[in-house]
Each structure stands twice: as structure tokens, then as C-alpha cells.
Amino acid sequence: MQTETSKNWSQFNKDIANDHYYYLRSCIRQNFFPGSEVAFLDILRNKLGKTIYDDASHTTCAGIGYHCDIVPFETIQALAARHFSLMTEKGLKHAVVSCVTSFGIYSEILDTWNHFPESLEKTRNALRKSTGREFELPENVVHCSDIVYKFRKEIKDQAKHTLTNTKTGKPLKIVDHIGCHYAKIFPERGVGGAEFPKVLTGMITAWGGETVDYPERRHCCGFGFRHYFVKNNRSYSLSNSKKKFESMEPFQPDAIVTNCPGCNLFLDRWQYTLEQIERKTYGQQGQGIPVLTYEELAGLVLGYDPWKLGLQFHQVEVEPFLDKMGIAYKKGDKYKNLDGKIIGERPMVNELNIV
Amino acid sequence: MQHIETLIKEKLNSDIRFVEGLNACMNCGICTAICPAAEFYDYDPRTMLTIVQSGNLQKIRELLESDTIWYCGQCMSCKTRCPRHNCPGLVISVLRKISQETGAFTQSRMGRQQYLLRKGLGNALLNIGYSLHPSFIKPADHPEQGPVWQWIFENASEIYKTVGANLDEEGPGVLRKIDKEAMTEFRAIFEETGCLELFRLIDQYSSIKALELGITNEANQPDMDQYLHFIENEQETSY
Ligand code: SF4
Ligand code: SF4
């Protein structure tokens, strides 16, 4: 089913800087989808000719700690201020944030400083006192998916593959899942707002795919911060993802693409968990539904090697999707190190293809 | 008792997130309709906002001592839809902070879990400047991560290299080791902005609770390892 909401999207055209970025990494992505962080920089620098500064000195934004309530608002404000200070030092003004939780955090902080100038002053003092640093406010703060969205046509122009099923000639059906903190808190800061975000569907359609509308499209993946980190509460996270899988199942999507590191992790891992607990899968032919990041999708379109992109980090096998796209890959390379040797004891593929 | 309630009132009114998060709730329940936590837990953001808005300090105090405030998943779906531009999720953040500052969190099972988060996530932040690291995600504690993660966990140094990561090494890149200078600044910020004080409070109130529950060592002091184990496994009916 095609989404018919484009007329509403034009209400939210956010300003996305064109070049000279400063990169802020994501904790979850670095751990679970490291290839996407590498691919983002590579696409920007080598395919789009942009400059982006990758700073060794930045740290976590502590957003997960904030939403788990052990890190005060004052602390994350000062940590954000420190990052802005590092940026100021480099003469840069355009922050690009890799994590949706961080993006929500920066948005909340900038909004607070705007409404309550005294909190900006307090933060300046705290940063000065603890580190001796000063900072300028950024001119533009966007999420990495905003950048890939902005340059989706340039990516298409260099495409080696499209999001087409090469066997049937039909567009691949792709579910978009937007992280809640991308636009639900500040709709005006997300491309397309909170109700009709087009940051991912814009990429999908530009690269030849078809988007899928389904009832629980905007429902949370269920991360819940403390609900995932505390083992006893994890069923909350699982239950929310299950609700989404059940809702998308009748549409038989070929893949899910997300713009949030946490969502990508949970939508991948909970499919495995549900298969283990209930022997239930939600994809085609008894398989799982591959869950990709937008850089993985862009990378495949641009002809990157799937294992250089880090698709071996996924629990749900991505090979059925690669086969549909007509991407040639060496299955055996999936588990090889840089010297071409198989690493460790490779995980066994079970009959449901959820490795 | 009176003192704690006055303290709660002061803390509520001085938090700008409370001012931002609550503007005249009209009790319509739209937040509850969209709330994922309301679907899976005995939780209702509408009622929670009604209590907070009533200013009834006795009831607010009961809220701070209950499981209720800990059910919210912080998705902020409520923020988008509230016709009055309230944000129950943000009000929850304020209530949780006060619950920890006053010790009320140790009165509920879900609240007590804050000690687990402070120890796990809190120490991770202070030690490495990241919220997590591959070595922390032990397959035995994370069966949902599956066999692929097990393979990554066991062969991390080789596998991260294959995608160009810089695991635990100097310089920029994915999962690089954050250098001493950056860590010094990071920790100084945690001290200056009250995060370490919050950690101390969580530790202190949790020790008091351990003592109260008789979770002690031979010297009759709180046994915090055992307490961690207790809250990790505490079920709804067990206390
Ligand atoms: S949606 Fe807003 S106004 Fe309605 S009950 Fe919830 S907080 Fe109150
Ligand atoms: S932020 Fe909390 S209260 Fe609001 S919708 Fe999400 S779970 Fe419900």
C-alpha cells in the first residue's frame, strides 16, 4: 500500500545545512551497527564530496542515563555544551547527530535555552567552572538521516542498484520506522513532522522502493530505556515490538528501515526472541524481516560490499533482501576477518533463516 | 512528613521541565490512549497528571513512593498529541528525580531498580564515557541478543576491525578509547552539575533500604551485592 500523505509533508521542511559538518556519534550504533557509522562518513566524504569532522574528544551525550533518570538535566546540558565548545574550537557550526535519543536531547536542550535563557547562563557557568570552556550555539543541528534524506537524489544518481526486486521487476516493499525522539517531541525539527515523517520514505521512494503504511506504523519499538536495561522489565520492550510485527505482517514487507539505533537493534533482536519463544516469524516464507539502517540501505544502493557495511552484525539474516536486490556477495566472506580467515566459531543458521 | 512534602513542592516548582511539561491538563485522556506503557502496565498518564495538577502533596508523595511513575517508557508519544501541549513523559522525569532525591524510590519495586541502573549504566558512563561497551553486553544476561551477538562478543577485537571500527584504540572512530583529558572534563561535569551527588543519594537510600530489609553482612552492615541481586530478581509478588 502506498502512503498518500505527501500534501501534508510540505508543512515541515526543515533547514538542513549543506556542508561542513561536525559529527556526534551514538553509543548504541557504535556497539551494534558500527559499519553504519563508518559508511555515513564514507558516503558523505567520498560520494557526496562534503567535509565532516570526526572528533576523538567527544563523549556520550548521556541521553540514555537521562531517560533512565540517573543523570540530571543539568548534566546533559553541560555535556551538550562541551560538545558545542569542541565544535566552536574547530570553527564549525553544523552539528550532525548519529543517535535519535541524542538528537531529541539536543533539541530539548536548545529549546530550553531558548525559553529559559537563565538555564543557558547556568550551563555556561557550569561548563566554565568544570572545564574552563566557552561555547557558541550551533547554527544547525540535524540527525544523520536528515543528511542522507537531503542528498537522496545525489545518491540515486550514483546508484549501482535500486530497491527493486530484480526477479519480479516490482519495487521492494519497505516499512519505515522512525525513532520516537526524532520528531514526536519537536515535530518542527523532523522532516515531515511527527505525523507524516518523510525522512525515510523519501529515501525509499527516491531509490525505487515502495513504502508500506500499516496501523501501528508510529508505535514505539518499546525500548523504554529502563525497561530494556533492567532485565526484569524487558518484556515491555518485546511486547511493543511484537505489536508492530503483528501489524505489519499482513503487508509482507521485504525489509524494515529505521533511523534510530535502538529501534534498529530491538526490531532485529526481538524477531529472534519471538522465534525462539513462540516459533513465530513475521516475514516472507517463514523468514524474519531484515531490519536495516538508512546507511545500510544507501550503501547497498551505492554498491558497497554488504560485509563492509556490517550486515553480519544483524541477527535476522539480510541475504534474502540482498538476493532480491540482485546484489552479488560471497556468503563465506560474512564471517571473515581482514586477512580472509574465518573468525571464531560462526553462528549456526537455523531453518528459519534467523541466524 | 510535613518536611518531605514541603520539599517535594519546592522541587516541583523549581524544575523548568515541570513548568514546560504541565499547562492546565483538561483530563481528556488522549495521552493515555496513545501511551504504550498504559497498554502493557497498570499505568495511566492522565490520572498521574490529574494528581500532580491537584497539588495534593499527600497524593503526590504516594505517587513518588509507588511503582506507577516508573512504568513510563519515555517515548514522548504523549507530547505530540496532547491538545494542551503538556508532556506527561517530562513530568514523569521530574517526579522520578524528586523520588530519588527524597528516597521515596526505595519504597517501590520498580523504583528500587534505580540502584541497578546507577551501578551498571552510571559506572559505565563514569569509567569509559560511553553508555555501553561490547564487553558489558554479556550473552548470559542478554539471551535476546542471540547467537550472532555471542559470536561478536567472543571475537570483538577482530570483528569490529572488519567494518573499520577503532575499538579501544587511540584517535577518532567507532568505539575509540576516550582519552584522559576528555574523561577528566566529562567527570568534572558530572561532579559540578550534581550527577555524582544524585549517585550518592541513590547509594545512600539504597543502603538504608537494604538494612531495613535485613540484607546485611556478618558485621550487620548493608550487603549491597546481595541487595543488587535481590532487586534484580524481585518479582511483583515477592515483596
Ligand atoms: S492529553 Fe494532555 S490534556 Fe489530555 S489528559 Fe493527557 S495531559 Fe491532560
Ligand atoms: S512518554 Fe511515558 S507517558 Fe508519554 S506516551 Fe510514552 S510511555 Fe506514555
Side-chain angles (χ1 to χ4, degrees):
Chain A
M1 191 193 293
Q2 197 95 32
T3 36
E4 301 268 356
T5 43
S6 54
K7 56 184 178 300
N8 296 304
W9 289 345
S10 56
Q11 290 170 18
F12 294 97
N13 279 328
K14 80 184 250 187
D15 186 22
I16 304 165
N18 193 50
D19 201 352
H20 309 305
Y21 307 113
Y22 181 87
Y23 191 37
L24 290 163
R25 291 182 179 277
S26 148
C27 292
I28 294 190
R29 246 152 82 99
Q30 291 181 84
N31 276 272
F32 296 106
F33 306 102
S36 293
E37 295 240 335
V38 175
F40 178 74
L41 294 185
D42 195 77
I43 292 170
L44 237 67
R45 288 170 176 157
N46 301 323
K47 302 286 177 190
L48 302 169
K50 306 290 171 188
T51 67
I52 180 158
Y53 192 82
D54 181 16
D55 197 338
S57 298
H58 88 283
T59 64
T60 178
C61 73
I64 292 179
Y66 172 65
H67 288 295
C68 284
D69 307 281
I70 57 163
V71 175
F73 191 39
E74 290 72 13
T75 308
I76 58 164
Q77 289 181 73
L79 291 175
R82 181 176 174 274
H83 290 161
F84 295 148
S85 167
L86 291 169
M87 232 171 97
T88 306
E89 254 173 33
K90 306 290 174 310
L92 294 169
K93 294 177 172 149
H94 306 152
V96 178
V97 186
S98 160
C99 176
V100 160
T101 300
S102 303
F103 179 67
I105 292 286
Y106 288 111
S107 301
E108 186 179 340
I109 290 171
L110 290 171
D111 185 74
T112 303
W113 289 349
N114 191 24
H115 285 168
F116 302 90
E118 65 277 17
S119 61
L120 172 59
E121 230 19 71
K122 222 174 131 191
T123 306
R124 285 195 189 282
N125 290 335
L127 185 70
R128 196 175 297 127
K129 209 164 153 211
S130 51
T131 68
R133 289 182 172 277
E134 302 291 339
F135 69 100
E136 281 168 30
L137 291 176
E139 271 175 18
N140 191 249
V141 178
V142 297
H143 185 253
C144 290
S145 60
D146 293 326
I147 307 271
V148 177
Y149 167 81
K150 183 179 174 82
F151 297 117
R152 65 198 183 284
K153 296 199 175 83
E154 287 79 352
I155 289 171
K156 186 193 164 215
D157 292 343
Q158 301 177 52
K160 299 273 189 314
H161 302 277
T162 61
L163 300 177
T164 312
N165 186 326
T166 49
K167 288 186 193 115
T168 64
K170 287 192 178 148
L172 289 165
K173 279 193 283 181
I174 301 180
V175 159
D176 71 315
H177 176 83
I178 309 277
C180 289
H181 291 196
Y182 172 72
K184 283 184 181 174
I185 313 177
F186 298 102
E188 67 283 6
R189 290 181 188 262
V191 179
E195 306 290 349
F196 307 107
K198 69 169 178 175
V199 64
L200 294 176
T201 55
M203 296 178 206
I204 296 166
T205 50
W207 303 335
E210 185 180 303
T211 61
V212 181
D213 204 359
Y214 67 104
E216 297 300 344
R217 190 175 182 185
R218 301 286 165 243
H219 193 87
C220 175
C221 73
F223 179 10
F225 299 93
R226 70 191 315 281
H227 295 333
Y228 178 73
F229 279 97
V230 176
K231 194 175 179 181
N232 247 351
N233 306 348
R234 242 170 246 164
S235 57
Y236 172 82
S237 182
L238 174 62
S239 306
N240 278 288
S241 285
K242 184 180 175 190
K243 188 179 161 92
K244 289 187 71 79
F245 298 138
E246 281 175 350
S247 176
M248 69 177 82
E249 186 184 18
F251 301 90
Q252 290 290 289
D254 295 297
I256 300 169
V257 63
T258 81
N259 77 338
C260 177
C263 304
N264 217 83
L265 175 68
F266 299 119
L267 293 176
D268 181 69
R269 304 302 203 259
W270 291 137
Q271 286 192 71
Y272 162 76
T273 307
L274 288 164
E275 187 272 325
Q276 291 289 301
I277 300 173
E278 301 182 341
R279 306 303 290 172
K280 167 78 187 153
T281 53
Y282 296 91
Q284 298 162 8
Q285 289 151 3
Q287 296 173 333
I289 311 169
V291 188
L292 303 177
T293 71
Y294 49 93
E295 287 102 340
E296 287 167 350
L297 203 62
L300 292 176
V301 166
L302 287 164
Y304 283 55
D305 180 279
W307 318 133
K308 287 273 171 279
L309 278 173
L311 293 176
Q312 66 276 36
F313 278 70
H314 293 242
Q315 180 60 46
V316 177
E317 281 222 312
V318 293
E319 282 86 340
F321 187 73
L322 303 180
D323 294 340
K324 286 175 193 164
M325 277 183 79
I327 291 173
Y329 58 90
K330 286 200 195 120
K331 182 115 187 150
D333 288 355
K334 186 171 183 178
Y335 304 108
K336 283 183 181 165
N337 66 14
L338 292 176
D339 302 326
K341 294 208 181 78
I342 296 280
I343 304 170
E345 214 172 292
R346 50 183 267 184
M348 294 301 291
V349 178
N350 66 18
E351 71 274 23
L352 292 164
N353 256 348
I354 295 184
V355 198
Chain B
M1 186 146 312
Q2 197 59 42
H3 167 69
I4 288 189
E5 289 177 4
T6 318
L7 194 68
I8 293 170
K9 193 174 171 185
E10 265 173 35
K11 284 183 181 292
L12 266 180
N13 294 331
S14 66
D15 198 311
I16 47 176
R17 294 171 306 167
F18 184 64
V19 180
E20 280 285 86
L22 180 58
N23 325 277
C25 166
M26 62 174 170
N27 241 296
C28 66
I30 290 177
C31 53
T32 303
I34 196 147
C35 173
E39 202 169 331
F40 297 109
Y41 286 126
D42 181 13
Y43 172 67
D44 174 8
R46 180 190 63 93
T47 310
M48 195 263 310
L49 250 72
T50 308
I51 294 172
V52 176
Q53 189 168 254
S54 75
N56 182 329
L57 289 172
Q58 162 82 31
K59 285 218 165 126
I60 295 175
R61 187 178 173 186
E62 281 166 24
L63 207 52
L64 299 183
E65 291 175 349
S66 72
D67 281 331
T68 311
I69 56 167
W70 303 101
Y71 288 139
C72 161
Q74 289 284 288
C75 67
M76 304 296 173
S77 304
C78 47
K79 166 79 164 47
T80 321
R81 293 285 171 81
C82 171
R84 286 279 168 87
H85 305 293
N86 296 325
C87 183
L90 201 59
V91 174
I92 281 283
S93 301
V94 180
L95 296 176
R96 287 176 174 180
K97 175 125 189 288
I98 302 174
S99 180
Q100 293 176 109
E101 288 170 340
T102 56
F105 73 105
T106 62
Q107 301 306 312
S108 71
R109 179 184 71 90
M110 294 284 283
R112 281 189 282 279
Q113 293 170 342
Q114 286 309 99
Y115 186 63
L116 280 174
L117 292 162
R118 176 263 171 275
K119 282 287 174 191
L121 182 56
N123 284 350
L125 289 168
L126 286 182
N127 290 335
I128 59 168
Y130 289 99
S131 306
L132 61 165
H133 183 274
S135 63
F136 300 165
I137 306 146
K138 300 197 170 66
D141 297 331
H142 288 274
E144 79 288 351
Q145 289 283 349
V148 169
W149 179 256
Q150 172 111 26
W151 173 69
I152 296 168
F153 179 84
E154 285 167 1
N155 304 283
S157 60
E158 259 182 296
I159 293 174
Y160 281 89
K161 267 195 203 116
T162 61
V163 294
N166 195 22
L167 180 65
D168 299 331
E169 303 287 340
E170 309 285 324
V174 171
L175 287 175
R176 76 219 175 273
K177 185 178 187 317
I178 293 172
D179 65 35
K180 262 198 189 137
E181 205 182 314
M183 283 311 297
T184 304
E185 293 191 2
F186 182 81
R187 291 190 193 108
I189 287 173
F190 271 59
E191 179 66 81
E192 176 62 30
T193 54
C195 189
L196 296 189
E197 177 57 20
L198 182 62
F199 285 5
R200 282 190 278 269
L201 285 174
I202 296 172
D203 290 349
Q204 185 191 321
Y205 287 122
S206 300
S207 302
I208 295 170
K209 189 70 196 178
L211 207 55
E212 193 187 309
L213 292 171
I215 302 176
T216 50
N217 56 23
E218 283 150 14
N220 229 9
Q221 292 301 309
D223 182 336
M224 295 317 282
D225 286 337
Q226 216 192 310
Y227 182 72
L228 262 184
H229 185 72
F230 166 74
I231 52 177
E232 211 166 21
N233 296 296
E234 196 178 0
Q235 299 297 324
E236 258 168 276
T237 48
S238 73
Y239 179 69

